[in-house]
Amino acid sequence: MTESEPQQPARRMSMEEKFPRALWVRLIVYVAVGHLFAGFIYLLFVLGGQNQ
């Protein structure tokens, strides 16, 4: 390697480099909303089962 060639930094392939930050935020929001919706449906079944 000569002095005139720029040195490239060693790239580390991490999960953050593979997926953009916006995708991680969207994934967390979808998981959270999905769990809230599932909890609401479960609550409806529990409350509906008590009325029988």
Side-chain angles (χ1 to χ4, degrees):
M1 178 178 273
T2 63
E3 293 293 325
S4 63
E5 293 179 10
Q7 293 181 355
Q8 294 183 357
R11 283 191 75 173
R12 185 180 58 173
M13 291 301 289
S14 67
M15 290 300 277
E16 289 185 358
E17 290 179 1
K18 291 181 184 177
F19 296 110
R21 185 180 201 102
L23 185 64
W24 281 113
V25 172
R26 194 182 323 161
L27 179 68
I28 291 171
V29 169
Y30 285 164
V31 168
V33 170
H35 278 86
L36 288 174
F37 181 70
F40 177 69
I41 297 297
Y42 176 76
L43 181 65
L44 288 179
F45 277 102
V46 167
L47 293 177
Q50 290 177 356
N51 291 334
Q52 289 183 357

